[in-house]
Amino acid sequence: MSTYEKIKEIETEMARTQKNKNTAYHLGTLKAKLAKLKRELIAPPKSSGGGGEGFDVAGTGVARVGFVGFPSVGKSTLMSKLTGTFSEVSEVEFTTLTTVPGVLHYKGAKIQILDLPGIIEGAKDGKGRGRQVIAVARTCSLIFLVLDVLKPLTHKAVIEREMESVGIRLNKEPPNIVFRKKDKGGINMTSTVSLTNLDKDVVKSILNEYRIASADISFRCDATADDLIDVIEGNRVYIPAVYVLNKIDQISIEELDLIYKIPHAVPVSAHHEWNFDELLEMMWQYLNLVRIYTKPKGLLPDYSAPVVLKRDKASVLDFCNAIHRGILKEFSHALVWGNSVKHNPQKV
């Protein structure tokens, strides 16, 4: 029996099993088996020797944004209008067959944009070059899910399901679970919050499937069985995503008001270049970037060329490494202006 058949069999078994306290142990075991089988799909085949022709793109800039969506939703048009990079546009599906890279300059930051081939249902199983597309998507700092505004929720659900199946978690934070395997001592389970979805029996059923007999597990959130499996697997990627609802020139104002209620979404028209300002501002927020300006001694700050860093990695050390790693050998101190210091300037 192939891996796909085994996955289908387990999914069928889970679908017909009622969810209650008596079946929690059985469902936990099935979920762990399913995660182990899906891990084989995430790992590239040994004979492939890489991501595939046209899919390996060297990273440039401070961040990487990937366009993911069904064929013919306007990804290539959006890419061409935002970056000026030519990506072939056609009414025919699957016009883009490889990764097309481009560069977007915004707020002093150089951001790499990747136009990926159209994804279809079954991408996780390799349909329509789906594996290569998903492999590139896993390396992105942000994903633009480009959807046709006339059928956004249908496509959104399919793409999210395909991403979830291969370990990509969109707009989610890693579960706050501390997991550590031990050589002996059994299962030691503690929690700082009330657990409504898990008990010790379910946790043991999952660990048994992974042949883990001894471990320390500390739950700091009301975790589910899926959260625990994600932590044990350790190969999940948590990527912010923006739902780009394209072709708004084809809908009414009343429909546009409804579209705005979809979380993490921004409506645009790639053809007419409508609402690009809001899209780029949302991109900046979701990438969580910050601009740092240098100030020559005795002169005004140089606002023409900021150093752009991730907001959670913007220490003086990160700043020095972003300019040149050799600076640290001769570095003594820095004068810092801004909201993060007690007084302007602060010597650090």
Side-chain angles (χ1 to χ4, degrees):
M1 190 183 289
S2 70
T3 302
Y4 302 123
E5 290 170 339
K6 290 177 183 176
I7 288 174
K8 191 70 179 173
E9 189 177 277
I10 292 174
E11 286 176 340
T12 304
E13 172 70 15
M14 289 174 64
R16 65 173 178 235
T17 303
Q18 288 187 340
K19 293 182 180 179
N20 54 51
K21 284 189 176 181
N22 295 328
T23 61
Y25 185 96
H26 179 56
L27 283 171
T29 304
L30 289 176
K31 285 181 177 180
K33 285 181 178 177
L34 191 62
K36 287 167 67 180
L37 289 170
K38 286 182 176 178
R39 186 201 309 156
E40 297 175 22
L41 300 181
I42 297 172
K46 291 180 181 177
S47 60
S48 68
E53 186 179 348
F55 283 85
D56 296 325
V57 178
T60 60
V62 297
R64 171 182 275 194
V65 178
F67 286 10
V68 175
F70 275 69
S72 301
V73 292
K75 299 188 301 297
S76 298
T77 304
L78 187 61
M79 162 89 163
S80 300
K81 293 290 178 70
L82 285 174
T83 67
T85 302
F86 175 73
S87 185
E88 191 173 347
V89 179
S90 170
E91 294 297 322
V92 180
E93 292 192 346
F94 298 108
T95 308
T96 304
L97 296 175
T98 60
T99 301
V100 179
V103 175
L104 171 67
H105 294 275
Y106 184 66
K107 292 189 176 182
K110 183 180 174 184
I111 298 168
Q112 186 179 45
I113 306 290
L114 300 180
D115 180 17
L116 298 170
I119 202 170
I120 58 173
E121 192 163 8
K124 64 181 184 297
D125 305 330
K127 290 183 181 178
R129 291 197 162 188
R131 275 196 191 172
Q132 293 100 318
V133 172
I134 288 169
V136 177
R138 287 175 67 91
T139 68
C140 292
S141 317
L142 171 68
I143 292 177
F144 275 175
L145 286 177
V146 187
L147 306 170
D148 189 327
V149 77
L150 298 176
K151 41 191 171 183
L153 298 180
T154 309
H155 286 181
K156 177 176 179 284
V158 172
I159 294 174
E160 285 176 340
R161 190 163 61 246
E162 295 295 318
M163 294 289 188
E164 284 276 331
S165 297
V166 292
I168 297 176
R169 303 291 181 256
L170 300 176
N171 293 324
K172 291 182 180 177
E173 293 293 326
N176 198 353
I177 302 172
V178 179
F179 174 79
R180 185 172 64 87
K181 280 202 286 187
K182 301 185 296 186
D183 294 329
K184 56 185 178 180
I187 305 300
N188 180 29
M189 176 176 151
T190 60
S191 64
T192 57
V193 297
S194 172
L195 296 177
T196 59
N197 303 298
L198 290 172
D199 58 31
K200 197 156 189 176
D201 288 338
V202 176
V203 171
K204 281 187 174 180
S205 73
I206 294 170
L207 295 178
N208 285 341
E209 189 58 38
Y210 285 95
R211 294 193 172 95
I212 298 172
S214 298
D216 289 330
I217 310 171
S218 175
F219 292 95
R220 298 172 184 175
C221 64
D222 186 12
T224 63
D226 293 319
D227 292 333
L228 177 58
I229 290 167
D230 282 355
V231 171
I232 295 171
E233 284 285 337
N235 60 355
R236 308 311 193 218
V237 290
Y238 297 83
I239 305 175
V242 173
Y243 300 98
V244 185
L245 304 173
N246 190 25
K247 305 181 183 179
I248 58 171
D249 50 306
Q250 300 178 15
I251 62 172
S252 65
I253 295 295
E254 291 76 14
E255 289 172 313
L256 186 60
D257 289 337
L258 291 174
I259 290 295
Y260 259 111
K261 294 180 181 179
I262 300 174
H264 312 291
V266 54
V268 301
S269 171
H271 180 70
H272 295 286
E273 300 185 33
W274 292 351
N275 214 26
F276 277 14
D277 289 346
E278 185 179 348
L279 176 63
L280 293 175
E281 187 57 40
M282 189 175 282
M283 175 195 73
W284 183 267
Q285 291 174 11
Y286 278 54
L287 286 172
N288 200 26
L289 298 176
V290 62
R291 291 171 292 179
I292 301 172
Y293 299 95
T294 54
K295 182 184 179 302
K297 193 171 183 179
L299 300 174
L300 293 172
D302 179 12
Y303 292 114
S304 61
V307 176
V308 180
L309 299 173
K310 295 282 286 184
R311 192 174 291 276
D312 55 353
K313 293 181 180 177
S315 67
V316 173
L317 175 64
D318 296 317
F319 176 81
C320 291
N321 285 331
I323 297 174
H324 195 284
R325 292 184 184 276
I327 289 178
L328 288 173
K329 294 178 182 178
E330 303 171 6
F331 183 81
S332 62
H333 68 275
L335 295 175
V336 180
W337 286 260
N339 296 328
S340 63
V341 294
K342 294 179 180 176
H343 46 82
N344 285 307
Q346 183 174 337
K347 188 175 180 180
V348 297

